[in-house]
Amino acid sequence: MYNPEDNHKVTFEEIVKIAKKLYVPIIAYKESAKSFTTKLSIIHTHLIEYYLNLDFKKDNSEIYEEEEKLLENLNSLFRHNANFNRYLINVARNIRLNCFNNMDFILELNDHILKIGNIGVFRKNIDSRILSINQNLELGEVPLPKLKKRSSETKYNSVKRVTDMLDYDKPDKKLFMHVMYHYPELYECPVSFISSDQDFMKKSNSSLTELNTQNGLDISQIQTIYIYDYFDKPAN
C-alpha cells in the first residue's frame, strides 16, 4: 500500500475495495517501516554519491536519463529490491525537481528517510491510502500483546510453542503470534488471515492445526488465505 511500484499493490487495493472491516496488526506497520529503512540504508550511499556530484543546472531530460541508468545499476546490484529501487528513484526525482542545489536535495531526501522510519507517520500514510480507496471500510488494529497478567503470558507462550515448531522468518513469526494472541476475542468472526506470501500461509495453517490439536483452540472461525488462489499473480 505504501510503495506505488510494488507488484502486489493492485491486488491489495482490490481487496480493500470489497472489504467491510480490515484489521492491520501494529507489528505489520513496524516491520514494514523497518524493511523500508533497511532497504534504503543499503542503497543510500549510491544515491548520495550521485546527487552530491550532480550539476542541478543540467537539462532535465539529461538528468532523467542518468537517473534511469542509476536505476539499472541499482537493479543489477540489488535485483531483489527492484520495486523498491524504482520507488526510491521516483522519490529522489520528485525531490530533485523541487530543489536548486545538492545540499537542499540531501536535506529533503534525509527528511523523507526519517519519515519512513517514524512508525506514527508511516502508519498514518498507510491508513490514509487505505481509506482513500474505501471510505466505508472499518479499519481496526491488532495491538501488541500485553503480558502483565499470568493468563496473558500463558496464552502467548502457547502460541509461541507451536510457532517454534516451524522455521518461520522472524517478522512472519511475530505477525502470526500477534494475530493469534488476540483470537478470537478481538475480531468480528469469522475472520480471514490473508497474505501474498504462500509459504507463510502454509506455515500459518499448520500452526493453526497445532493450536487446535495441542490446546483445543476452536479454529473454525479463522481461515488463512493465500490471495493468489483468488487473484492473478503479478508477473514479477
Side-chain angles (χ1 to χ4, degrees), residues 5-19:
E5 302 298 330
D6 194 293
N7 289 334
H8 302 297
K9 181 175 182 290
V10 173
T11 303
F12 277 96
E13 285 180 345
E14 290 301 311
I15 293 171
V16 168
K17 287 177 184 177
I18 62 176

Side-chain angles (χ1 to χ4, degrees), residues 1-234:
M1 297 303 300
Y2 191 89
N3 182 0
E5 302 298 330
D6 194 293
N7 289 334
H8 302 297
K9 181 175 182 290
V10 173
T11 303
F12 277 96
E13 285 180 345
E14 290 301 311
I15 293 171
V16 168
K17 287 177 184 177
I18 62 176
K20 294 182 178 179
K21 184 160 187 173
L22 181 68
Y23 298 95
V24 184
I26 297 297
I27 192 66
Y29 293 111
K30 295 183 70 172
E31 291 296 334
S32 295
K34 181 179 178 181
S35 176
F36 257 70
T37 51
T38 298
K39 291 175 181 177
L40 181 55
S41 67
I42 294 173
I43 66 175
H44 183 254
T45 302
H46 298 270
L47 285 175
I48 296 299
E49 182 180 358
Y50 169 72
Y51 285 102
L52 269 178
N53 295 291
L54 175 66
D55 180 1
F56 275 68
K57 295 179 181 179
K58 282 200 296 188
D59 184 76
N60 180 57
S61 61
E62 185 178 351
I63 298 177
Y64 184 94
E65 291 181 4
E66 291 180 1
E67 288 170 332
E68 289 300 301
K69 290 180 180 178
L70 175 61
L71 175 61
E72 290 179 10
N73 183 47
L74 291 174
N75 286 341
S76 67
L77 292 171
F78 316 110
R79 61 174 62 94
H80 297 299
N81 291 341
N83 292 332
F84 184 80
N85 296 339
R86 167 60 71 180
Y87 162 80
L88 200 56
I89 286 292
N90 286 338
V91 167
R93 180 174 289 145
N94 289 333
I95 293 175
R96 189 253 306 165
L97 290 171
N98 291 290
C99 291
F100 299 101
N101 58 61
N102 310 73
M103 290 312 301
D104 284 347
F105 172 87
I106 299 302
L107 290 172
E108 288 293 326
L109 180 63
N110 286 340
D111 183 62
H112 182 82
I113 295 169
L114 289 173
K115 287 179 179 177
I116 290 178
N118 184 307
I119 303 301
V121 174
F122 186 85
R123 177 181 177 178
K124 185 177 180 180
N125 287 335
I126 294 290
D127 291 354
S128 177
R129 294 182 190 195
I130 290 174
L131 293 174
S132 70
I133 297 169
N134 183 352
Q135 295 180 356
N136 297 317
L137 176 69
E138 185 178 351
L139 192 57
E141 70 172 36
V142 181
L144 303 178
K146 295 181 179 179
L147 306 178
K148 293 182 179 180
K149 296 181 180 179
R150 181 176 293 276
S151 58
S152 299
E153 186 174 352
T154 299
K155 183 175 184 180
Y156 183 84
N157 287 335
S158 68
V159 178
K160 185 177 184 300
R161 277 196 298 272
V162 300
T163 57
D164 285 344
M165 297 170 63
L166 298 173
D167 185 26
Y168 281 91
D169 289 338
K170 190 175 181 179
D172 290 345
K173 182 177 181 178
K174 288 181 181 178
L175 181 56
F176 179 83
M177 289 177 63
H178 291 197
V179 168
M180 292 310 300
Y181 172 82
H182 292 287
Y183 173 81
E185 296 83 6
L186 177 68
Y187 312 109
E188 291 182 14
C189 294
V191 64
S192 299
F193 182 23
I194 67 173
S195 175
S196 59
D197 186 333
Q198 188 175 31
D199 183 60
F200 177 38
M201 287 294 91
K202 287 181 178 178
K203 290 176 180 176
S204 296
N205 199 48
S206 296
S207 293
L208 281 176
T209 301
E210 286 299 323
L211 282 171
N212 174 253
T213 302
Q214 294 188 23
N215 302 342
L217 180 67
D218 180 7
I219 59 173
S220 63
Q221 296 299 302
I222 186 170
Q223 62 174 335
T224 57
I225 293 181
Y226 171 57
I227 60 174
Y228 295 117
D229 283 339
Y230 301 90
F231 293 88
D232 292 333
K233 189 175 182 179

